[in-house]
Amino acid sequence: MISLYDLLRASNGQLYGDPAAQLFTDFCLDPQQAREGLLYVALRTSQVDTHHYIEEAIQNGVSGVICVGPPGCDTTGVSVLMVRDTVEALMSWAQFALGKMKVRRIVVSGSSAKSLTAAAITRVLATRYRVHQGNLDDDGRLSLALSMAHLSSEYDYVVMKLEITQPDDMRQMVETLQPDIGIITNIDCVHRSSFASCQQYREDYYALVDYLRSPDALLILNNDDEATREMLTRAKGRVRTIGIDVFGADMMMYNLKPGLDRTGFDLRYEERYLGRWSPVVGKQHLYSLLAALTIGVQVGIPLEDALKALTELPYLPGRMNPLNGRSGAMLIDDTYKAGVASTMMALDWLNYVRMDGQRIIFVMGDIDHLGKNSQYAHRSIGLRAAEVADVIVTQGAQAALVGRAAIDQGKDINAVRTTYSVQDAVAVLDDLKLNENDIVLIKGGESVRMEEVVRALLADPADARLLVRQQKTAKSVSLPSRPLHPAWLEIDREAFAGNVRVIRQLLPPEVTLMAVVKANAYGHGAIMAARIALLNGAGYLAVANIAEALTLRDAGIEAPILVLSYTPASAVRQAVQQNITVTVFDLELARMYDRAARDVGGQLKYHVKLDTGMGRLGVLPADTVAMFRHLHALKHVALEGIMTHFSAADTDPAHTQTQLETFKNLVRMLRAGGFQFKYVHAANSAAVLRSPDYFFNMVRPGLVLYGLTPETMTLPAGLRPLLTWKTTVLQVKLLPAGHPVGYGNTYITRGPERIAILPVGYADGLRRAPATWREVLINGQRVPLVGRVSMEKCAVNVTDIDVSAGDEVVLLGKQGSDEITPEEVAGWLGTSNYEVVTTIMPYLAR
Ligand SMILES: *Cc1c(COP(=O)(O)O)cnc(C)c1O
């Protein structure tokens, strides 16, 4: 039970309006699960703001609300408590609640396996005592505080997990929770980016070591982990160590018999030796058992009883769980929350249990929160994965480095598959034709939701209930973490994959889809776009220049690539060696390529471009036949295709039709003259949408793949834009009437006006002149830009809406029910949607 007055006293909060209910049965974070008796918790942190759900929670019947600002809706009949910071208030309340009970407190900390450790301890202690299992599903302070709702004086022990996410967390938490027993499972030196160094991260754990100095306190340390072993020298209270295979630990396992769904072991404790097994796999999880056994013997539980208790453990989703996959494959679901050390241990385990003839497939998604350590960490995993796994499938931009490192290590490029979405990862796994000889290990950080990959691979869909994150929690309403640059782009990769598939379905199977990814994939990110396009039905890529083609090759993309524009002869060596196709638009160029290719000792593939009415690059119809006559003689270049480009497929169907006829006639004549073309192509996005007449056997759309609309046309169903350009409000100020805003005093406030400053300017691609961006979205509403756009700042007038510093701003894309499209911005700027998206600076995080 939660008492309103306990909360009020502990949190130093204030009642808002008249109190109603004084006791609540539990907390509630999800407004949809709100009902009578519950206290709705509204959060406002750097990651989430759930205050706008208060009204819904009240409508659904909650009896109370705790929040930081006025609730902003009718609260009659509901007790409302306002506090400075909800999480802090609840932590103070947890401290208060714990203080009222005589329950012994056990805290589990460390970089990995905290949940299993807490579960194992609970299991062992429950053979004799009443144990309250605190936060099981989540490690944060909030869930810790919330889990005290059901604590009562009936319990002998409470087991809590502590996660430290920033410096000084541990000190604050031990002061609040005042533990009697503490465990540090291990310390992963590839730590969160919120710590300056491994040293600082380690140092934080010392707060627990220092706190547990009284003679009846107990500290359990992992003897096999260098960082925790070092703590022994500073520990003043009672300490017990745990370890595997290395003598010296108080409680030691050896003679491990790892299996696919259980682990056998021998145990040594005070000159006693016992054998047993437990249904856990992975070395990191065995330390959990050792910690539980140690606590058990310390509180008088016979070792045999404790060992027996550990043959049954509750099922924890997403932690090295064997599940039945399609076609008899075995899935190891480790999708809860990957860290570097736990990933390495999981790979070690795989290496140990694999049998001859088995195929090991390692599926890895991005690990979260690693900051500047991220690249190094993902690469290290790649090096180990190259040794253990037969096939590596990655999902996400950071995990792509796992694959890259494996290739650098000598792994066959075909054994490494890089994807950027759940859908694509599943498609790749389909392609691998899973069978009963496969073991598939699936790992990743919380944000990549790799449990969705597991779900797609399950033999029995009913097993989905065994997956992690199946319930809504605070996480499901949290905002994504923000990159360091103050303005950034969010790219909806699933939408891109979907768009490519929609276009692919418009085409007969014999027509090759050449995905145009020039100009950094129209500003969306070329490598990501190229990979997704290829996974979803593209057979060829097109870029504007050889540098772009080489960037794709560097990323390990092996599909054919056509350079649409000019390629200098000096680049022919690279083009030949890296299988890049070039465009020829006059005879001299063809001859130059021929000589260069001869020098390199290879053959250069090329397509000839005809100018059928665009007046840009290409051979004019009158010169075509004459030029082709000379091409026969060139032996070091290989003619692969012929193409033309439409100047107004979007706006001038008649002209396009004439271009089409000209092109068809020329192709017919050339064929009659003995030329063969593997590819004949003309259609850009607008032509693809217009008619199959323009398809030939290859099409080259760009724009529509990104969900953008050719002028005067409408998009087919299923195509959607994927780019959102965001920033946040830096400052909000009230200016008096007559006050200038921005350089040149071009805007003067007309009355008292509230002005918000945004950290984005023309250096980021937010145009200043001659016409500027007109509006942005904040809290779902449109607000006008005022004054001149600066290099990296601009101002908007927010007089009419409720805005505070830190609020998210959308420059391009959807927010709430409104949307600013590239087409609309193109109207403001007097340009096309193409220019709007391609002039957003490439250095902004995507
Ligand atoms: C850019 C380009 C395309 C793609 O045009 P969209 O209108 O974006 O579909 C096709 N062909 C050539 C030669 C191009 O330069």
Side-chain angles (χ1 to χ4, degrees):
M1 279 293 191
I2 305 148
S3 140
L4 177 66
Y5 290 96
D6 281 358
L7 264 171
L8 199 55
R9 185 148 19 131
S11 67
N12 241 329
Q14 266 184 355
L15 285 171
Y16 175 89
D18 294 330
Q22 301 185 6
L23 282 178
F24 310 100
T25 50
D26 204 348
F27 296 107
C28 159
L29 288 170
D30 178 356
Q32 287 173 12
Q33 288 175 9
R35 59 189 150 75
E36 199 182 330
L38 303 186
L39 179 74
Y40 179 70
V41 178
L43 299 170
R44 185 172 294 159
T45 68
S46 58
Q47 309 276 300
V48 284
D49 189 346
T50 59
H51 281 71
H52 40 281
Y53 295 127
I54 293 177
E55 191 166 8
E56 186 182 344
I58 291 177
Q59 279 163 5
N60 290 346
V62 285
S63 302
V65 171
I66 180 169
C67 51
V68 298
C73 59
D74 182 13
T75 61
T76 335
V78 177
S79 299
V80 179
L81 178 63
M82 287 205 311
V83 294
R84 287 239 322 270
D85 174 321
T86 331
V87 177
E88 286 316 312
L90 292 172
M91 279 302 273
S92 305
W93 168 82
Q95 178 173 22
F96 183 89
L98 278 166
K100 289 209 298 195
M101 329 266 174
K102 291 272 158 298
V103 46
R104 302 216 352 128
R105 303 147 192 201
I106 302 176
V107 298
V108 180
S109 70
S111 304
S112 44
K114 290 187 285 296
S115 302
L116 188 68
T117 307
I121 292 168
T122 305
R123 185 92 196 117
V124 167
L125 291 181
T127 59
R128 277 284 171 88
Y129 300 98
R130 279 153 310 178
V131 190
H132 178 60
Q133 165 97 66
N135 51 336
L136 191 61
D137 292 333
D138 194 4
D139 303 342
R141 295 148 65 82
L142 176 65
S143 62
L144 178 59
L146 299 184
S147 70
M148 296 302 133
H150 298 296
L151 184 65
S152 76
S153 45
E154 288 167 27
Y155 291 110
D156 303 306
Y157 287 94
V158 55
V159 183
M160 301 170 276
K161 294 189 297 170
L162 303 189
E163 174 155 86
I164 62 172
T165 56
Q166 54 194 0
D168 208 36
D169 259 3
M170 184 62 94
R171 187 190 58 76
Q172 289 179 25
M173 284 201 279
V174 296
E175 282 176 9
T176 306
L177 303 172
Q178 306 183 356
D180 303 292
I181 298 177
I183 298 111
I184 303 176
T185 58
N186 70 322
I187 296 181
D188 186 346
C189 224
V190 189
H191 49 82
R192 280 182 174 251
S193 57
S194 41
F195 291 86
S197 63
C198 180
Q199 195 49 42
Q200 191 192 34
Y201 179 61
R202 286 182 180 198
E203 199 52 46
D204 221 69
Y205 282 94
Y206 275 101
L208 179 60
V209 177
D210 294 343
Y211 182 85
L212 293 171
R213 57 180 177 264
S214 82
D216 34 280
L218 172 63
L219 173 65
I220 297 172
L221 295 174
N222 182 342
N223 198 51
D224 297 346
D225 183 78
E226 188 205 324
T228 52
R229 197 171 52 234
E230 268 180 18
M231 293 177 161
L232 279 168
T233 56
R234 215 164 103 183
K236 293 281 185 307
R238 192 155 51 119
V239 183
R240 291 292 177 272
T241 56
I242 55 178
I244 297 173
D245 284 339
V246 183
F247 277 88
D250 297 315
M251 183 75 72
M252 185 186 100
M253 270 182 193
Y254 61 104
N255 213 1
L256 300 188
K257 291 174 267 312
L260 280 174
D261 55 3
R262 55 151 70 184
T263 308
F265 53 83
D266 290 333
L267 192 72
R268 191 191 72 102
Y269 175 70
E270 291 186 338
E271 304 312 312
R272 297 183 57 200
Y273 298 86
L274 292 98
R276 208 69 199 193
W277 61 273
S278 178
V280 302
V281 299
K283 196 173 177 184
Q284 69 272 35
H285 293 151
L286 299 176
Y287 293 105
S288 303
L289 306 186
L290 287 166
L293 292 168
T294 305
I295 293 182
V297 297
Q298 292 297 317
V299 302
I301 294 171
L303 202 48
E304 286 79 0
D305 293 357
L307 277 167
K308 183 152 177 294
L310 293 179
T311 58
E312 276 172 40
L313 280 169
Y315 185 89
L316 295 180
R319 282 122 171 144
M320 296 293 279
N321 293 318
L323 293 170
N324 292 321
R326 285 193 218 152
S327 317
M330 169 170 247
L331 311 178
I332 306 292
D333 172 16
D334 199 23
T335 54
Y336 170 61
K337 211 191 251 186
V340 180
S342 70
T343 305
M344 293 295 198
M345 281 191 260
L347 286 168
D348 287 346
W349 172 81
L350 262 185
N351 199 34
Y352 196 96
V353 297
R354 77 177 304 168
M355 287 181 295
D356 283 349
Q358 268 179 331
R359 180 168 69 160
I360 303 290
I361 301 172
F362 175 48
V363 186
M364 182 78 207
D366 293 350
I367 300 180
D368 299 322
H369 308 304
L370 293 175
K372 67 181 189 317
N373 299 316
S374 187
Q375 295 217 350
Y376 160 77
H378 285 93
R379 284 182 182 279
S380 317
I381 291 169
L383 298 182
R384 182 72 183 122
E387 295 165 352
V388 175
D390 299 297
V391 183
I392 300 173
V393 179
T394 66
Q395 192 217 310
Q398 293 299 311
L401 295 168
V402 171
R404 185 68 242 172
I407 293 169
D408 292 345
Q409 179 80 348
K411 194 90 194 156
D412 177 4
I413 195 156
N414 296 312
V416 175
R417 311 289 292 273
T418 313
T419 74
Y420 294 90
S421 68
V422 167
Q423 269 181 350
D424 287 346
V426 173
V428 160
L429 286 156
D430 275 343
D431 203 38
L432 292 173
K433 306 260 180 296
L434 296 187
N435 62 61
E436 65 279 5
N437 289 320
D438 292 334
I439 304 183
V440 188
L441 170 67
I442 305 118
K443 278 198 79 86
E446 274 172 296
S447 66
V448 273
R449 308 290 310 262
M450 296 300 282
E451 69 275 13
E452 295 304 316
V453 176
V454 181
R455 181 201 296 275
L457 300 179
L458 288 171
D460 179 359
D463 283 351
R465 76 198 144 75
L466 300 173
L467 303 181
V468 77
R469 291 181 280 271
Q470 296 305 297
Q471 277 159 358
K472 276 200 178 178
T473 61
K475 285 282 157 44
S476 55
V477 290
S478 72
L479 307 172
S481 64
R482 290 169 175 164
L484 292 180
H485 197 280
W488 68 95
L489 302 178
E490 287 172 14
I491 308 289
D492 182 347
R493 294 167 170 147
E494 301 280 349
F496 184 62
N499 291 351
V500 177
R501 284 197 297 270
V502 168
I503 296 298
R504 179 66 260 183
Q505 274 158 17
L506 291 179
L507 309 171
E510 66 279 8
V511 176
T512 300
L513 172 59
M514 175 184 270
V516 180
V517 297
K518 65 191 177 190
N520 200 26
Y522 293 43
H524 293 70
I527 295 171
M528 173 279 302
R531 285 217 173 95
I532 294 179
L534 292 167
L535 285 168
N536 289 282
Y540 220 113
L541 299 169
V543 293
N545 59 58
I546 182 100
E548 291 181 326
L550 292 173
T551 304
L552 297 180
R553 286 282 180 261
D554 279 350
I557 292 168
E558 293 200 315
I561 305 176
L562 175 66
V563 176
L564 294 171
S565 194
Y566 171 66
T567 302
S570 59
V572 165
R573 171 182 296 277
Q574 279 157 305
V576 169
Q577 286 171 348
Q578 308 229 37
N579 186 31
I580 293 165
T581 314
V582 300
T583 297
V584 162
F585 45 85
D586 66 35
L587 183 58
E588 257 331 287
L589 200 59
R591 287 184 167 145
M592 200 166 73
Y593 288 159
D594 187 58
R595 287 192 296 274
R598 186 189 58 208
D599 294 347
V600 178
Q603 259 209 340
L604 179 65
K605 279 193 290 184
Y606 71 102
H607 293 203
V608 172
K609 186 165 188 180
L610 305 183
D611 180 358
T612 56
M614 165 115 185
R616 209 177 62 177
L617 212 54
V619 193
L620 287 166
D623 305 332
T624 302
V625 174
M627 169 181 148
F628 267 83
R629 238 181 260 130
H630 295 283
L631 293 181
H632 272 309
L634 307 180
K635 298 293 175 231
H636 303 281
V637 287
L639 178 61
E640 187 189 62
I642 185 154
M643 64 168 146
T644 190
H645 194 38
F646 297 126
S647 62
D650 43 359
T651 52
D652 191 343
H655 181 73
T656 311
Q657 195 58 32
T658 315
Q659 280 195 275
L660 178 72
E661 293 308 325
T662 311
F663 184 56
K664 275 190 179 161
N665 283 333
L666 288 167
V667 172
R668 203 175 301 127
M669 267 195 296
L670 292 169
R671 283 204 167 124
F675 287 96
Q676 282 168 7
F677 306 104
K678 183 167 174 199
Y679 297 113
V680 180
H681 48 114
N684 58 1
S685 294
V688 169
L689 299 189
R690 254 195 217 292
S691 156
D693 292 350
Y694 300 106
F695 289 175
F696 298 96
N697 70 351
M698 176 179 263
V699 295
R700 304 186 307 265
L703 199 69
V704 290
L705 299 180
Y706 308 99
L708 302 174
T709 317
E711 216 181 322
T712 75
M713 303 186 81
T714 44
L715 286 184
L719 290 181
R720 34 191 188 117
L722 35 143
L723 180 150
T724 309
W725 187 8
K726 290 185 175 175
T727 185
T728 51
V729 173
L730 278 189
Q731 191 181 30
V732 182
K733 47 176 55 172
L734 185 64
L735 295 181
H739 199 292
V741 177
Y743 283 122
N745 304 349
T746 58
Y747 181 81
I748 307 287
T749 54
R750 290 167 202 139
E753 284 180 7
R754 283 184 355 116
I755 300 293
I757 311 301
L758 314 180
V760 57
Y762 58 77
D764 303 303
L766 193 75
R767 202 82 59 78
R768 179 195 136 164
T772 69
W773 221 269
R774 290 199 193 144
E775 293 173 338
V776 303
L777 294 170
I778 308 183
N779 296 332
Q781 302 189 60
R782 284 180 180 247
V783 291
L785 265 82
V786 289
R788 271 190 198 154
V789 172
S790 303
M791 189 182 289
E792 26 59 58
K793 271 178 226 54
C794 66
V796 288
N797 184 342
V798 294
T799 310
D800 299 331
I801 69 165
D802 181 21
V803 174
S804 35
D807 284 357
E808 194 164 90
V809 181
V810 165
L811 303 158
L812 205 56
K814 268 204 185 87
Q815 194 187 53
S817 55
D818 207 347
E819 179 173 13
I820 296 179
T821 61
E823 289 75 22
E824 180 178 8
V825 176
W828 298 336
L829 300 177
T831 179
S832 65
N833 48 4
Y834 293 83
E835 193 181 346
V836 173
V837 291
T838 53
T839 52
I840 303 171
M841 290 296 162
Y843 65 78
L844 298 184
R846 282 164 166 82

